[in-house]
């Protein structure tokens, strides 16, 4: 599976521990070669007090699902949400100042 990702908001340098604030904002993702075909989703990540929260958006910007859990690591962020009756996880890693890469369900 190939996932192409485009960043809509950026804040940090590559090849370092990534500050959690790097991931704040709206991220548009294109998922390719999935069993059901290619798809596009956007993730809106926000910070409320000390907690990161988010939403999964469709291509038109409508809320598809809330993000149930966000884990911030030193080098990546993992999003957990439910979609289409499945529990889904996406690991997002900073590629450079303008791009991220992701692994959908560890694929």
């Amino acid at each position: 599976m190939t996932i192409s990702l485009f960043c809509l908001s950026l804040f940090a340098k590559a090849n370092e521990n990534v500050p959690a604030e790097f991931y704040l904002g709206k991220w548009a993702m294109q998922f390719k070669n999935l069993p059901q075909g290619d798809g596009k989703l956007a993730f809106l990540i926000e910070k409320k007090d000390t907690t990161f929260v988010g939403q999964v958006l469709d291509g038109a910007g409508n809320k598809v699902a809330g993000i149930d859990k966000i884990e911030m690591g030193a080098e990546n962020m993992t999003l957990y949400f439910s979609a289409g009756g499945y529990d889904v996880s996406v690991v997002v890693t900073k590629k450079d100042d303008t791009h991220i890469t992701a692994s959908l369900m560890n694929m």
Side-chain angles (χ1 to χ4, degrees):
M1 168 189 329
T2 304
I3 301 174
S4 298
L5 306 164
F6 303 97
C7 171
L8 300 177
S9 69
L10 308 164
F11 302 103
K13 293 182 181 179
N15 302 323
E16 299 176 2
N17 284 347
V18 180
E21 287 73 19
F22 171 80
Y23 298 106
L24 293 176
K26 186 175 180 184
W27 296 86
M29 300 185 188
Q30 182 177 8
F31 299 91
K32 294 186 177 184
N33 303 320
L34 298 174
Q36 299 84 5
D38 297 349
K40 294 181 182 181
L41 289 174
F43 296 88
L44 177 61
I45 308 301
E46 301 173 302
K47 189 172 184 180
K48 304 266 181 178
D49 298 317
T50 59
T51 305
F52 288 86
V53 296
Q55 298 179 7
V56 182
L57 310 172
D58 64 16
N62 300 310
K63 181 179 176 181
V64 174
I67 296 175
D68 300 319
K69 181 179 175 183
I70 299 175
E71 290 180 351
M72 294 293 183
E75 298 179 4
N76 58 36
M77 168 182 69
T78 305
L79 309 173
Y80 299 92
F81 60 97
S82 295
Y86 295 97
D87 291 332
V88 180
S89 64
V90 177
V91 177
V92 180
T93 306
K94 180 180 175 183
K95 182 176 179 180
D96 59 33
D97 284 347
T98 59
H99 297 88
I100 55 176
T101 60
S103 172
L104 177 67
M105 301 298 293
N106 293 320
M107 290 192 259

